Amino acid sequence: MAEASDPGNNDAALTALYSTPFVIRRPQHHHVPFVFASPHSGRLYPESFVAASRLSALSLRRSEDAFVEELFAPVLDLGAPLIAANFPRAYVDANRNPAELDPAMFDGELGVVVDAVSPRVSAGLGVIPRIVRDGAEIYRGKLPVADAKARMNRLYKPYHEALAHLVEETRERFGVCVVVDCHSMPSAAAAPEVVLGDRYGMSAAAILTKTAENAFERFRFTVSRNAPYAGGYTTHLYARRSQGIHALQIEVSRSLYLDEERIVKTAAFARVQARLVAVLSALVSIDPAMLMPPRATAWAAE
């Protein structure tokens, strides 16, 4: 995709996003083989996007993993970096395959290979979503092809390039790397408070998922594995267990810390964060040797 031209002066938020599509916060000392990522907590909404939508600004935020980058921010004190997208999920979803585009949303040929039959695209939740999480249609009409190109080239791709660099940097430093993809989920009756997604054991070593599960239970969270969220594109893309790279998705119920109607933090935020930090402290304390691929582990023992 070729890049679109810069936005006009009337869209300061979009100009800011193009300048800084994500933020990386680094610890004073990176001393654990973990990288934390928050692809869905961005809340800088371009004025042109809001104007083109049939929804209110508040309704657009229904898809947002609100304040997740703040919830997980104490991982810096545990010795791990955190990358967070600044662009909102409803604008472009960094946890989707870049081919998951719906050609019917745009006013011309996209010029790229698309996976239009993807179940997520069919549901309206592709890399450029057609709906927000509650099912409401976002747009009044078709989008310019140049808009799709700009979102992908100037927001989506830089985020993943930066995350890939963090992962490789960490693996080179420690011999292994664990990507923790951080999310929040809408509350629902009888749902667990935390869902761990390891793609049914494909993206993370069993010891890693079990350590996380035990820690969450110890600090009084109800937990499930892979249901209803088994891990998204990030866990699929970055997990390379044969190379010592693991990926684990963590979904935290918004009911624990968020007023979901007004999208503001509740008084419980600090308490939930403190419990979460205790869990993550246990998780990052796992022996890196337990996460090395079998051949590397055998070599290290010689």
Side-chain angles (χ1 to χ4, degrees):
M1 287 184 175
E3 291 189 4
S5 59
D6 285 339
N9 293 331
N10 63 332
D11 201 336
L14 189 53
T15 301
L17 279 178
Y18 285 171
S19 174
T20 313
F22 58 87
V23 61
I24 296 175
R25 298 182 64 191
R26 294 181 178 271
Q28 187 172 2
H29 300 290
H30 187 179
H31 59 258
V32 295
F34 282 74
V35 171
F36 288 80
S38 179
H40 289 164
S41 57
R43 49 184 176 270
L44 187 55
Y45 287 77
E47 289 92 332
S48 54
F49 172 54
V50 177
S53 174
R54 63 177 69 199
L55 303 176
S56 68
L58 183 62
S59 294
L60 288 171
R61 295 194 67 189
R62 303 294 185 208
S63 292
E64 190 182 304
D65 287 356
F67 307 110
V68 160
E69 87 291 359
E70 292 186 29
L71 194 64
F72 282 81
V75 298
L76 275 71
D77 297 328
L78 302 179
L82 170 68
I83 180 172
N86 284 330
F87 50 88
R89 178 189 193 179
Y91 192 63
V92 58
D93 190 336
N95 199 32
R96 292 287 182 265
N97 188 307
E100 290 183 303
L101 286 160
D102 182 354
M105 291 177 60
F106 304 98
D107 65 1
E109 294 292 329
L110 290 168
V112 296
V113 175
V114 300
D115 183 8
V117 298
S118 157
R120 288 168 292 277
V121 173
S122 299
L125 294 169
V127 66
I128 296 179
R130 176 173 51 80
I131 65 172
V132 289
R133 284 293 295 268
D134 62 7
E137 295 276 343
I138 294 175
Y139 299 101
R140 294 191 180 95
K142 291 184 180 290
L143 301 177
V145 169
D147 193 348
K149 294 179 178 181
R151 295 188 200 191
M152 298 302 294
N153 283 340
R154 304 188 70 169
L155 303 176
Y156 179 96
K157 288 182 180 179
Y159 172 86
H160 277 288
E161 287 170 357
L163 178 52
H165 180 76
L166 275 175
V167 170
E168 187 56 29
E169 176 186 283
T170 302
R171 189 188 66 84
E172 289 181 358
R173 182 183 183 96
F174 298 98
V176 298
C177 177
V178 178
V179 180
V180 180
D181 206 37
C182 308
H183 296 266
S184 67
M185 56 187 177
S187 60
E193 295 172 327
V194 172
V195 177
L196 302 175
D198 64 2
R199 299 183 67 84
Y200 301 97
M202 297 294 292
S203 69
I207 186 65
L208 183 68
T209 307
K210 187 60 177 175
T211 297
E213 183 178 51
N214 288 346
F216 274 110
E217 290 177 344
R218 187 161 68 250
F219 290 97
R220 307 182 313 282
F221 292 93
T222 58
V223 189
S224 73
R225 288 196 200 187
N226 296 309
Y229 306 105
Y233 180 66
T234 297
T235 52
H236 169 75
L237 177 65
Y238 291 97
R240 298 191 297 277
R241 291 180 56 187
S242 64
Q243 300 175 36
I245 302 175
H246 305 256
L248 179 67
Q249 181 173 285
I250 298 178
E251 296 267 2
V252 178
S253 175
R254 295 172 191 162
S255 63
L256 294 174
Y257 72 93
L258 188 73
D259 179 329
E260 295 178 82
E261 290 302 313
R262 297 187 299 134
I263 313 184
V264 295
K265 290 179 282 186
T266 66
F269 184 92
R271 295 192 300 274
V272 172
Q273 185 184 56
R275 291 166 58 205
L276 179 62
V277 170
V279 170
L280 298 175
S281 180
L283 180 61
V284 302
S285 297
I286 193 170
D287 183 354
M290 303 293 291
L291 304 175
M292 289 186 177
R295 184 176 299 177
T297 304
W299 176 84
E302 291 177 357

